[in-house]
């Protein structure tokens, strides 16, 4: 069977392509821009890639066209598919019908931490020798690929609330039918497709409706937005994760979250000592251990696995160190994620200076939905450097005027890099946050720091 994937270089669709190839299908695909790292992963799998959307790529016609959610009416390939009545399907529905139908699905949903928590959960199951399948929207540190079929009944999936396709505006995760569901957290996001928080809560409740009565849903005890979702109706087992009287608790042994105790039903189960930092990662780790326990993994094995966990790419990833200046890459692009990421780094580095750099690139950021909360999310930084993209519809100067930290706005990447080089000094930590490539700023900054400080 030959399937052709439109929008193949996205993390979800690229992972889907890998799974289809492992199932024995002939897989081809196209994207507007074919670029690493996904293009490299796909080519290594023997998947033929086409740049652009010339309809000639669909002649001769494949058996099935899988259409990504970045494709809209008016796209030449989409119009060709519809005009010639070629069979087509969304990525999430294809995944359900061809991969997930007979699996024990462990799904990780939430506004923040999906990639990291799904990576943790897949690694815990792998450590327990369960050989799970998985599809993760990032590059996990403990695996060489972002997706694989696995050989066990278990399949871990990052459950995204974004819509499926131009013809299916439901959230992707309603197709996954999980038996184990992690509800990590919930805030307003994706303002380009959701009018308000209530609309997202409705989709999360649709997801809960698909969990069987003998399935299990893990909720954070202290998340009011998810508590409201649960009160809309829940027909499955529930376990609360968090503090106080929750079934699962974590007690930090280190302020930066690099060590913590795991407690279940008031009994200490063990200690995690790992390379991750931040309160958010402690919560993510606790969720992963709890979810794995539902699949039969003993808590002590979950704890041992996390001690060997490696963070996914772009999650507080140390890109380099020059003249005592550390440069990090992080995916944070929502005020809460920015605040928690900075908080974790602050707890780790103490009084050392943190220079925070942000490119507001997500659709929600471009619309200015979070600009009121943005100023307060940088309290963990000493200085803030904003990059003003050309396609953003508001002035970042509106944020800097309300900040308690020195903040500057740049609309030229080279100028921004030069200022960072000039202002940084031995012992500083430069944290770069964006959900895109940010013009290759990390490598350019490290190269200029080496040149400035005379390092080879």
């Amino acid at each position: 069977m030959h399937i052709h994937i439109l929008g193949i270089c996205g993390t979800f669709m690229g992972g889907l392509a890998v799974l289809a190839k492992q199932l024995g299908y002939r897989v081809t695909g196209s994207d507007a821009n074919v670029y690493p790292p996904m293009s490299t992963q796909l080519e290594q799998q023997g998947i033929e890639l086409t740049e652009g959307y010339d309809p000639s790529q669909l002649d001769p016609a494949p058996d099935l066209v899988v259409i990504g959610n970045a494709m809209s009416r008016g796209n030449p390939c989409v119009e060709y598919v519809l005009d010639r009545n070629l069979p087509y399907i969304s990525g999430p529905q294809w995944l359900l019908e061809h991969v997930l139908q007979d699996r024990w699905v462990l799904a990780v949903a939430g506004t923040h931490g999906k990639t990291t928590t799904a990576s943790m959960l897949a690694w815990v199951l792998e450590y327990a020798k369960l050989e799970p399948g998985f599809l993760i929207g990032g590059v996990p540190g403990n695996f060489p690929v972002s997706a694989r079929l696995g050989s066990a009944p278990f399949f871990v999936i990052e459950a995204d609330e974004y819509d499926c396709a131009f013809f299916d505006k439901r959230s992707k995760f309603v197709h996954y039918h999980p038996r184990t569901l992690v509800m990590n957290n919930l805030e307003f996001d994706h303002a380009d497709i959701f009018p308000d928080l209530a609309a997202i809560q409705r989709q999360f409740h649709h997801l809960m409706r698909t969990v069987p009565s003998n399935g299990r849903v893990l909720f954070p005890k202290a998340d009011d937005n998810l508590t409201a979702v649960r009160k809309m109706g829940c027909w499955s087992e529930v376990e609360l994760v968090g503090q106080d009287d929750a079934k699962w608790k974590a007690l930090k042994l280190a302020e930066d979250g690099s060590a913590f105790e795991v407690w279940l039903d008031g009994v200490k189960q063990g200690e995690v000592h790992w390379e991750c930092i931040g309160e958010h990662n402690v919560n993510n780790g606790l969720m992963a251990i709890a979810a794995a326990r539902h699949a039969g993994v003993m808590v002590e094995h979950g704890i041992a696995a996390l001690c060997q966990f490696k963070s996914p790419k772009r999650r507080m990833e140390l890109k380099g160190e020059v003249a005592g200046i550390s440069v990090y890459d992080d995916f944070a692009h929502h005020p809460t994620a920015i605040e928690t990421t900075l908080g974790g780094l602050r707890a780790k580095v103490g009084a050392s200076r943190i220079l925070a750099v942000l490119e507001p690139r997500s659709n929600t950021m471009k619309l200015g939905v979070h600009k009121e909360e943005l100023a307060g999310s940088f309290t963990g930084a000493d200085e803030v450097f904003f990059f003003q993209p050309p396609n953003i519809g508001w002035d970042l100067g509106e944020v800097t005027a309300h900040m308690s930290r020195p903040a500057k706005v740049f609309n030229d990447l080279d100028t921004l890099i030069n200022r960072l080089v000039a202002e940084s000094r031995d012992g500083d930590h430069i944290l770069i946050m964006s959900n895109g490539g940010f013009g290759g700023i990390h490598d350019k900054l490290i190269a200029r720091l080496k040149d400035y400080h005379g390092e080879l």
Side-chain angles (χ1 to χ4, degrees):
M1 183 177 184
H2 174 205
I3 68 169
H4 186 78
I5 301 174
L6 299 178
I8 195 170
C9 282
T11 51
F12 173 78
M13 298 299 277
L16 184 148
V18 171
L19 295 175
K21 183 74 174 179
Q22 290 176 6
L23 283 169
Y25 299 153
R26 180 189 166 209
V27 184
T28 58
S30 62
D31 211 311
N33 297 295
V34 175
Y35 51 88
M38 190 53 72
S39 62
T40 306
Q41 177 174 297
L42 294 172
E43 287 165 354
Q44 287 171 348
Q45 299 283 329
I47 295 170
E48 180 186 330
L49 303 179
T50 301
E51 185 148 1
Y53 296 112
D54 189 312
S56 63
Q57 65 191 265
L58 296 168
D59 185 20
D63 297 299
L64 182 66
V65 181
V66 184
I67 299 180
N69 64 3
M71 303 298 103
S72 303
R73 286 302 305 267
N75 176 286
C77 282
V78 168
E79 297 306 316
Y80 186 94
V81 166
L82 296 177
D83 290 345
R84 284 158 182 77
N85 201 29
L86 301 184
Y88 65 91
I89 194 171
S90 75
Q93 187 176 344
W94 183 92
L95 194 66
L96 172 66
E97 294 178 4
H98 295 260
V99 178
L100 303 182
Q101 194 72 62
D102 300 316
R103 308 295 289 266
W104 178 319
V105 177
L106 300 97
V108 179
T111 306
H112 313 294
K114 291 185 293 294
T115 297
T116 301
T117 308
S119 298
M120 290 176 182
L121 180 51
W123 171 241
V124 171
L125 297 181
E126 178 81 353
Y127 183 89
K129 304 190 184 309
L130 295 178
E131 299 180 359
F134 55 81
L135 198 166
I136 295 167
V139 182
N142 292 91
F143 300 97
V145 292
S146 62
R148 77 174 190 195
L149 283 175
S151 59
F154 303 107
F155 195 96
V156 177
I157 187 161
E158 179 176 330
D160 184 8
E161 69 269 30
Y162 214 80
D163 59 13
C164 296
F166 73 86
F167 52 88
D168 183 356
K169 306 312 285 185
R170 294 173 296 171
S171 290
K172 291 177 187 173
F173 55 36
V174 299
H175 289 284
Y176 298 160
H177 299 183
R179 182 166 296 276
T180 307
L181 173 59
V182 172
M183 291 284 212
N184 236 7
N185 43 64
L186 180 54
E187 291 191 85
F188 182 61
D189 198 9
H190 304 309
D192 50 325
I193 61 170
F194 293 116
D196 50 34
L197 176 63
I200 308 178
Q201 288 175 309
R202 192 172 301 113
Q203 291 294 326
F204 271 68
H205 193 247
H206 290 167
L207 172 60
M208 277 181 54
R209 286 173 175 270
T210 67
V211 182
S213 59
N214 63 353
R216 183 172 297 169
V217 187
L218 300 163
F219 283 97
K221 188 174 187 301
D223 192 304
D224 293 339
N225 293 334
L226 281 177
T227 299
V229 171
R230 180 157 55 98
K231 289 180 177 177
M232 293 165 73
C234 183
W235 300 266
S236 311
E237 299 173 13
V238 170
E239 288 188 356
L240 297 181
V241 180
Q243 300 299 326
D244 302 324
D245 58 343
K247 185 178 185 70
W248 294 88
K249 291 193 294 185
L251 299 179
K252 288 193 296 183
L253 297 172
E255 185 60 32
D256 64 358
S258 60
F260 64 93
E261 297 175 346
V262 175
W263 290 69
L264 171 62
D265 291 326
V267 178
K268 180 180 173 179
Q269 305 293 311
E271 298 178 1
V272 173
H273 297 260
W274 60 351
E275 67 174 36
C276 296
I277 59 171
E279 185 85 32
H280 57 300
N281 276 323
V282 173
N283 295 332
N284 294 340
L286 197 58
M287 281 288 191
I289 292 171
R293 178 172 173 265
H294 189 223
V297 178
M298 291 190 295
V299 177
E300 62 196 69
H301 289 162
I303 291 170
L306 288 190
C307 291
Q308 297 182 24
F309 176 71
K310 299 182 185 304
S311 294
K313 294 286 188 183
R314 308 210 62 203
R315 271 66 181 180
M316 194 57 76
E317 180 184 0
L318 180 62
K319 300 293 288 186
E321 188 174 334
V322 181
I325 302 164
S326 301
V327 178
Y328 303 87
D329 180 19
D330 197 88
F331 198 69
H333 56 277
H334 182 286
T336 299
I338 293 166
E339 183 175 5
T340 55
T341 299
L342 278 166
L345 184 58
R346 172 57 66 201
K348 178 182 179 181
V349 305
S352 297
R353 287 203 319 162
I354 298 175
L355 311 183
V357 185
L358 177 72
E359 178 194 30
R361 182 182 175 276
S362 71
N363 290 329
T364 305
M365 276 289 194
K366 288 176 184 175
L367 291 169
V369 172
H370 294 310
K371 64 181 178 182
E372 301 298 328
E373 297 88 35
L374 200 53
S377 65
F378 285 92
T379 54
D382 293 282
E383 290 189 46
V384 182
F385 301 76
F386 289 111
F387 180 70
Q388 176 99 31
N391 57 352
I392 193 170
W394 53 283
D395 184 3
L396 279 159
E398 299 174 41
V399 174
T400 61
H402 298 92
M403 293 186 65
S404 60
R405 300 289 185 271
K408 307 174 182 68
V409 178
F410 300 83
N411 53 24
D412 178 77
L413 189 59
D414 282 336
T415 305
L416 168 57
I417 292 171
N418 289 337
R419 181 63 67 87
L420 284 168
V421 170
E423 294 201 13
S424 57
R425 57 179 186 257
D426 185 6
D428 283 355
H429 299 265
I430 302 176
L431 173 60
I432 299 170
M433 294 173 283
S434 171
N435 69 334
F438 205 162
I441 185 175
H442 314 87
D443 292 340
K444 291 176 181 176
L445 174 59
I446 290 168
R448 295 223 194 138
L449 282 169
K450 286 180 178 179
D451 184 55
Y452 184 82
H453 291 282
E455 291 194 11
L456 296 177

